[in-house]
Amino acid sequence: MIRKSILLIILLTASQFVLAQRIAIATKAMGAVEIDKKAKPGYNSLKAGTILDDGDRIRTGSDGFTLVIFIDDKSQLKIKGDSEVTIAGKKIASAISKNIRLENGTVRAQVNKQRKGEFVIQSTTSVASVKGTDFWFIANSEEGDMVIGLEGIVDLFNVISGLSVDVTAGNTGTSDSNGNIDVNETNQNTIPEDP
């Protein structure tokens, strides 16, 4: 009876590890950075080297910063202070289809070549989808979202109006909760400092 119980516990524990989709690793964590593991709810301090699974949430304090690298193609996501992000991904063959939910805050995505729709960052107002590029995404539910193109092309979509624009290097796309969407030349003063 005891052997069967132990075997059952081992099998249940092993099945949880198999079910978890490992998609990325946090390689740096500075200042106040916390993680809410989907498999073990509740925020705890995030340490460099932490493996991220599908559905894990990260939040940073005002002095926080973390660097996340996706295990399939080494694309990077830099999460700055005062940000709240959910990292989601689904393995498709040898690639991971990545979907980052940015509740608020600032991230920089340095994305290696992807198939269309394999790397998406979304807020409550906007969706940025990329094939391979470098850009900042700043989510602000009150003032609207900004996508600052550094390299390549980002498709910025407003979920309220259904309108979309292409944001290229040197340009900034804006998208707000009234459905407005626009692209203008980037004001250098709006580019966040890269830690």
Coordinates of all heavy atoms in Angstrom, one line a residue, residues 109-143:
A109 N 12.0 44.3 -27.1 CA 12.0 43.0 -27.7 C 13.1 43.0 -28.8 O 13.0 43.9 -29.7 CB 10.7 42.7 -28.3
Q110 N 14.0 42.1 -28.7 CA 15.0 41.9 -29.8 C 14.8 40.5 -30.3 O 15.2 39.5 -29.7 CB 16.4 42.1 -29.2 CG 16.7 43.5 -28.7 CD 18.0 43.7 -28.0 OE1 18.2 43.2 -26.9 NE2 18.9 44.5 -28.6
V111 N 14.0 40.5 -31.4 CA 13.4 39.3 -31.9 C 14.2 38.8 -33.1 O 14.4 39.5 -34.1 CB 11.9 39.5 -32.3 CG1 11.3 38.2 -32.8 CG2 11.2 40.2 -31.2
N112 N 14.6 37.5 -33.0 CA 15.3 36.9 -34.2 C 14.2 36.4 -35.2 O 13.0 36.4 -34.8 CB 16.1 35.7 -33.7 CG 17.3 36.2 -32.9 OD1 17.9 37.2 -33.3 ND2 17.6 35.5 -31.8
K113 N 14.5 36.1 -36.4 CA 13.6 35.8 -37.4 C 12.5 34.8 -37.0 O 12.9 33.8 -36.5 CB 14.3 35.3 -38.7 CG 13.4 35.3 -39.9 CD 14.3 35.2 -41.1 CE 13.5 35.0 -42.4 NZ 12.5 36.0 -42.7
Q114 N 11.3 35.2 -37.2 CA 10.1 34.3 -36.9 C 9.2 34.2 -38.1 O 9.3 35.0 -39.0 CB 9.3 35.0 -35.8 CG 10.0 35.6 -34.6 CD 10.3 34.5 -33.6 OE1 9.5 33.8 -33.2 NE2 11.6 34.4 -33.2
R115 N 8.3 33.2 -38.0 CA 7.2 33.2 -38.9 C 6.1 34.1 -38.4 O 6.1 34.5 -37.2 CB 6.6 31.7 -39.0 CG 7.6 30.8 -39.7 CD 6.9 29.5 -39.9 NE 6.6 28.9 -38.6 CZ 6.8 27.6 -38.3 NH1 7.3 26.8 -39.1 NH2 6.4 27.2 -37.1
K116 N 5.3 34.6 -39.3 CA 4.3 35.6 -39.0 C 3.4 35.1 -37.8 O 3.0 34.0 -37.8 CB 3.4 35.9 -40.2 CG 2.4 37.0 -39.9 CD 1.6 37.4 -41.1 CE 0.5 38.3 -40.7 NZ 0.6 39.6 -41.2
G117 N 3.3 35.9 -36.8 CA 2.4 35.6 -35.6 C 3.1 34.8 -34.6 O 2.5 34.4 -33.6
E118 N 4.4 34.5 -34.7 CA 5.1 33.7 -33.7 C 5.7 34.5 -32.6 O 6.1 34.0 -31.6 CB 6.3 32.9 -34.3 CG 5.8 31.7 -35.1 CD 6.9 30.7 -35.5 OE1 8.1 31.1 -35.4 OE2 6.6 29.6 -35.9
F119 N 5.7 35.9 -32.7 CA 6.1 36.7 -31.6 C 5.2 37.9 -31.5 O 5.1 38.7 -32.4 CB 7.6 37.2 -31.8 CG 8.2 37.8 -30.5 CD1 9.1 37.0 -29.8 CD2 7.8 39.0 -30.0 CE1 9.7 37.5 -28.7 CE2 8.3 39.5 -28.8 CZ 9.3 38.8 -28.2
V120 N 4.4 37.9 -30.4 CA 3.3 38.9 -30.3 C 3.4 39.5 -28.9 O 3.6 38.8 -27.9 CB 1.9 38.3 -30.5 CG1 0.8 39.3 -30.1 CG2 1.7 37.8 -31.9
I121 N 3.3 40.8 -28.8 CA 3.2 41.5 -27.5 C 1.9 42.2 -27.5 O 1.6 42.9 -28.5 CB 4.3 42.5 -27.2 CG1 5.7 41.8 -27.2 CG2 4.1 43.3 -25.9 CD1 6.9 42.8 -27.1
Q122 N 1.1 42.0 -26.5 CA -0.2 42.7 -26.4 C -0.5 43.3 -25.1 O -0.1 42.9 -24.1 CB -1.3 41.7 -26.8 CG -1.5 40.6 -25.8 CD -2.6 39.6 -26.3 OE1 -2.5 39.1 -27.4 NE2 -3.6 39.4 -25.5
S123 N -1.2 44.5 -25.2 CA -1.7 45.1 -24.0 C -3.2 45.1 -24.1 O -3.8 44.4 -24.9 CB -1.2 46.6 -24.0 OG -1.9 47.3 -25.0
T124 N -3.9 45.8 -23.2 CA -5.4 45.9 -23.3 C -5.8 46.6 -24.5 O -7.0 46.4 -25.0 CB -6.0 46.6 -22.0 OG1 -5.4 47.8 -21.9 CG2 -5.8 45.8 -20.8
T125 N -5.0 47.5 -25.1 CA -5.4 48.3 -26.3 C -4.8 47.8 -27.6 O -5.4 48.0 -28.6 CB -5.0 49.8 -26.0 OG1 -5.5 50.2 -24.8 CG2 -5.5 50.7 -27.1
S126 N -3.5 47.3 -27.5 CA -2.8 47.1 -28.7 C -2.1 45.8 -28.8 O -1.9 45.1 -27.8 CB -1.6 48.2 -28.8 OG -2.1 49.5 -28.5
V127 N -1.8 45.4 -30.1 CA -1.1 44.1 -30.4 C 0.0 44.5 -31.3 O -0.2 45.0 -32.4 CB -2.0 43.1 -31.0 CG1 -1.3 41.8 -31.3 CG2 -3.2 42.7 -30.1
A128 N 1.2 44.1 -30.9 CA 2.4 44.3 -31.8 C 2.9 42.9 -32.2 O 3.2 42.0 -31.4 CB 3.5 45.0 -31.1
S129 N 2.9 42.7 -33.5 CA 3.3 41.3 -34.1 C 4.5 41.5 -35.0 O 4.6 42.5 -35.8 CB 2.1 40.7 -34.7 OG 2.4 40.1 -35.9
V130 N 5.5 40.6 -34.8 CA 6.8 40.8 -35.5 C 7.2 39.5 -36.2 O 6.9 38.5 -35.7 CB 7.9 41.4 -34.6 CG1 7.5 42.7 -34.1 CG2 8.2 40.4 -33.5
K131 N 8.1 39.7 -37.2 CA 8.8 38.5 -37.8 C 10.2 38.5 -37.4 O 10.8 37.4 -37.3 CB 8.7 38.7 -39.3 CG 7.3 38.5 -39.9 CD 7.3 38.6 -41.4 CE 5.9 38.4 -42.0 NZ 5.9 38.6 -43.4
G132 N 10.8 39.6 -37.1 CA 12.2 39.7 -36.6 C 12.6 41.1 -36.6 O 12.6 41.8 -37.7
T133 N 12.8 41.7 -35.5 CA 13.1 43.1 -35.4 C 13.5 43.5 -34.0 O 13.7 42.6 -33.1 CB 11.8 43.9 -35.8 OG1 12.1 45.3 -35.9 CG2 10.7 43.7 -34.7
D134 N 13.7 44.8 -33.7 CA 14.1 45.3 -32.5 C 13.2 46.5 -32.2 O 13.2 47.5 -33.0 CB 15.6 45.7 -32.6 CG 16.2 46.1 -31.2 OD1 15.5 46.2 -30.2 OD2 17.4 46.4 -31.2
F135 N 12.5 46.5 -31.1 CA 11.6 47.6 -30.8 C 11.3 47.7 -29.3 O 11.5 46.8 -28.5 CB 10.3 47.5 -31.5 CG 9.4 46.3 -31.1 CD1 8.4 46.5 -30.3 CD2 9.7 45.1 -31.6 CE1 7.6 45.4 -29.9 CE2 8.9 44.0 -31.2 CZ 7.8 44.2 -30.4
W136 N 10.8 48.9 -28.9 CA 10.3 49.1 -27.5 C 8.8 49.1 -27.6 O 8.2 49.6 -28.5 CB 10.8 50.5 -27.0 CG 12.2 50.6 -26.6 CD1 13.2 51.1 -27.3 CD2 12.8 50.2 -25.3 NE1 14.4 51.0 -26.6 CE2 14.2 50.5 -25.4 CE3 12.3 49.5 -24.2 CZ2 15.0 50.2 -24.3 CZ3 13.1 49.3 -23.1 CH2 14.5 49.6 -23.2
F137 N 8.2 48.5 -26.6 CA 6.7 48.6 -26.4 C 6.4 49.2 -25.0 O 6.9 48.6 -24.0 CB 6.1 47.2 -26.5 CG 4.6 47.2 -26.6 CD1 4.0 46.6 -27.7 CD2 3.8 47.7 -25.6 CE1 2.6 46.6 -27.8 CE2 2.4 47.6 -25.7 CZ 1.8 47.1 -26.8
I138 N 5.7 50.3 -25.0 CA 5.4 51.0 -23.7 C 3.9 50.9 -23.6 O 3.2 51.5 -24.4 CB 5.9 52.4 -23.7 CG1 7.4 52.4 -23.9 CG2 5.5 53.1 -22.4 CD1 8.0 53.8 -24.3
A139 N 3.4 50.2 -22.6 CA 1.9 50.1 -22.4 C 1.5 51.1 -21.3 O 2.0 51.0 -20.2 CB 1.6 48.7 -22.0
N140 N 0.5 51.9 -21.6 CA 0.0 52.9 -20.7 C -1.5 53.0 -20.9 O -1.9 53.6 -21.9 CB 0.7 54.2 -20.8 CG 0.2 55.2 -19.8 OD1 -1.0 55.3 -19.4 ND2 1.2 56.0 -19.3
S141 N -2.3 52.4 -20.1 CA -3.8 52.3 -20.3 C -4.4 53.7 -20.3 O -5.5 53.9 -20.9 CB -4.4 51.4 -19.2 OG -4.2 51.9 -17.9
E142 N -3.8 54.7 -19.6 CA -4.4 56.0 -19.6 C -4.0 56.9 -20.8 O -4.9 57.5 -21.4 CB -4.1 56.7 -18.3 CG -4.7 56.0 -17.1 CD -4.2 56.6 -15.8 OE1 -3.6 57.8 -15.8 OE2 -4.4 56.0 -14.7
E143 N -2.7 56.9 -21.1 CA -2.3 57.7 -22.2 C -2.2 57.0 -23.6 O -2.1 57.7 -24.6 CB -0.9 58.3 -21.9 CG -0.9 59.2 -20.6 CD 0.5 59.6 -20.2 OE1 1.4 59.6 -21.1 OE2 0.7 60.0 -19.1

